[in-house]
Amino acid sequence: MESRFPSCILVWFVCSGLLFSCARVQSAFHIPKNFKISSLIVFGDSIVDPGNNNYINTPSRANFPPYGQDFLGGVPTGRFCNGMIPSDYLAQALSIKELLPAYLDPNLQPADLLTGVSFASGGCGYDPVSSAIEVARTLSQQMDQFREYKTKLNSLVGENATTQIISQSLFLVVAGSNDIVNTYFDVGVRKKQYDIQSYTTFLANSAGDFVTELYNSGARLLGLVNVPPLGCLPSQRTLAGGIERKCVEQYNQAAIMFNSKLSSVIDTFSDKYADAQAVVIDIYNPLMELIQNPVSNGFTVVDKGCCGTGELEVTVLCSQELNPLIKPCSDASKYVFWDSFHPTQATYQLLVSGIYADYF
């Protein structure tokens, strides 16, 4: 979730052309027992950006303390979190690799390409205007990087092996939150052109176009993660939740509206492309469950992030160099959110565990 207060939350997946077929949107992937998902390839925003923004000229970065304080070695890698992010946990759950690297990392090894990378850029959205606001790589630019990646893969293993790897890859796309929260509501640059009904339709159709582009590039196992309860993000509670900082119902309703339209678009995609699996993965309800019932899920704080005051800070505003007197919380695992926009490692771990159990 990147935004001016970064946003980032979710859309996923793509795998083997001849092995799968589905007529409608599925509630889970149907993976043959003898089939091995070969790699994880990720597009989207800051929820799944493991550090690509470190290597572009943008203020939307997280490569400084306290980001990464609970990561391996306590190193700030550019992940918008205190530790690991969903793409890392999913790669582990699928027994692909321990961490999913950033495609733009200059230390990326040729062997890393064989098992997948993330092209995600913090601040990205389905709407290219969102990326312009946040100075992020658009989905179109991420797709160009994917084509470059395929060329590199081809030089490593040959055309036939490249085609097989791509067809057996799980493609993860996570986007939409920046568009709704930042571009439409906070900054409001799209309000002159759209009402929320027409804007969410535009976003859902854009998601469908991107998934079709992935399909045309060889992807066959497709998953789209919907957007979370955006009105309950700590930053939105502060900006639009009133003096009591309540969840902003208007924003949550916009998220629900988009999620419904996204499902319809992917339903249409599945009707058209029977040799692909397409699954919309629900993140809205699982995260809302954690927010509404924190104690039973091991959390104590749901309305503030761990870093800074927790009410508005994100990215550079969480920097310990900028705010040396405001220390992050002592135990981030008790917080649903790390900063005012992004969940903690503990939240991601719990959510991905549920996703893996429900969809694989």
Side-chain angles (χ1 to χ4, degrees):
M1 272 178 214
E2 243 317 81
S3 153
R4 163 188 233 167
F5 310 101
S7 151
C8 180
I9 290 178
L10 323 173
V11 189
W12 318 23
F13 315 59
V14 192
C15 180
S16 174
L18 297 178
L19 291 177
F20 304 107
S21 72
C22 62
R24 313 279 307 164
V25 169
Q26 301 170 187
S27 59
F29 293 107
H30 300 295
I31 311 296
K33 291 184 178 180
N34 63 345
F35 181 80
K36 166 68 175 174
I37 295 175
S38 64
S39 68
L40 177 61
I41 299 174
V42 176
F43 302 84
D45 58 26
S46 59
I47 291 295
V48 285
D49 179 355
N52 283 307
N53 275 17
N54 296 351
Y55 309 104
I56 66 176
N57 186 18
T58 176
S60 299
R61 295 185 181 184
N63 56 343
F64 45 79
Y67 287 93
Q69 70 175 25
D70 298 308
F71 193 73
L72 306 175
V75 178
T77 61
R79 288 168 170 81
F80 293 74
C81 188
N82 61 305
M84 293 192 292
I85 55 177
S87 45
D88 298 321
Y89 283 118
L90 187 59
Q92 290 180 13
L94 295 170
S95 301
I96 293 174
K97 58 174 75 175
E98 288 300 306
L99 299 170
L100 197 74
Y103 178 69
L104 294 180
D105 187 343
N107 296 314
L108 190 71
Q109 299 299 307
D112 291 322
L113 302 177
L114 301 177
T115 49
V117 295
S118 174
F119 302 98
S121 176
C124 175
Y126 288 117
D127 184 349
V129 169
S130 298
S131 294
I133 291 171
E134 294 298 326
V135 197
R137 292 290 173 91
T138 65
L139 285 177
S140 179
Q141 290 172 320
Q142 292 178 38
M143 179 60 74
D144 288 341
Q145 291 175 341
F146 173 61
R147 295 188 182 99
E148 180 184 75
Y149 158 84
K150 287 177 67 177
T151 300
K152 292 179 180 179
L153 202 58
N154 187 56
S155 68
L156 282 174
V157 299
E159 186 175 350
N160 290 338
T162 295
T163 298
Q164 182 177 13
I165 289 171
I166 296 302
S167 70
Q168 294 178 350
S169 294
L170 179 61
F171 284 69
L172 163 66
V173 187
V174 178
S177 296
N178 286 314
D179 301 315
I180 296 172
V181 164
N182 190 34
T183 304
Y184 191 81
F185 285 116
D186 287 353
V187 180
V189 296
R190 285 299 203 179
K191 286 187 175 181
K192 294 180 181 179
Q193 299 163 276
Y194 301 94
D195 58 20
I196 193 60
Q197 278 281 358
S198 58
Y199 188 60
T200 51
T201 297
F202 163 70
L203 294 178
N205 289 337
S206 297
D209 291 343
F210 186 69
V211 168
T212 299
E213 194 170 4
L214 285 175
Y215 175 86
N216 291 335
S217 297
R220 291 297 179 270
L221 184 61
L222 299 138
L224 295 99
V225 180
N226 63 21
V227 300
L230 300 171
C232 294
L233 302 180
S235 63
Q236 302 314 302
R237 287 176 182 260
T238 300
L239 293 171
I243 193 169
E244 295 181 353
R245 299 184 66 253
K246 294 182 178 180
C247 289
V248 187
E249 188 59 27
Q250 182 184 17
Y251 294 7
N252 285 349
Q253 288 303 313
I256 292 170
M257 186 184 301
F258 167 75
N259 290 343
S260 176
K261 292 175 181 179
L262 180 65
S263 292
S264 295
V265 165
I266 299 309
D267 194 55
T268 300
F269 171 90
S270 295
D271 283 342
K272 185 174 182 179
Y273 300 105
D275 61 336
Q277 287 199 54
V279 174
V280 174
I281 294 180
D282 176 37
I283 202 70
Y284 184 100
N285 289 297
L287 185 54
M288 183 62 89
E289 159 64 21
L290 300 187
I291 292 169
Q292 293 178 334
N293 301 289
V295 176
S296 61
N297 289 288
F299 299 100
T300 56
V301 183
V302 301
D303 63 343
K304 294 183 179 182
C306 172
C307 79
T309 64
E311 295 187 358
L312 197 60
E313 294 90 346
V314 71
T315 61
V316 69
L317 296 180
C318 274
S319 169
Q320 288 183 316
E321 181 176 353
L322 184 66
N323 289 315
L325 298 180
I326 303 179
K327 304 296 183 183
C329 63
S330 59
D331 185 1
S333 69
K334 299 301 181 183
Y335 284 65
V336 171
F337 292 97
W338 161 247
D339 59 25
S340 72
F341 232 92
H342 304 94
T344 58
Q345 171 179 262
T347 300
Y348 285 143
Q349 185 174 25
L350 195 59
L351 292 175
V352 173
S353 177
I355 286 169
Y356 185 75
D358 291 342
Y359 294 92
F360 293 89

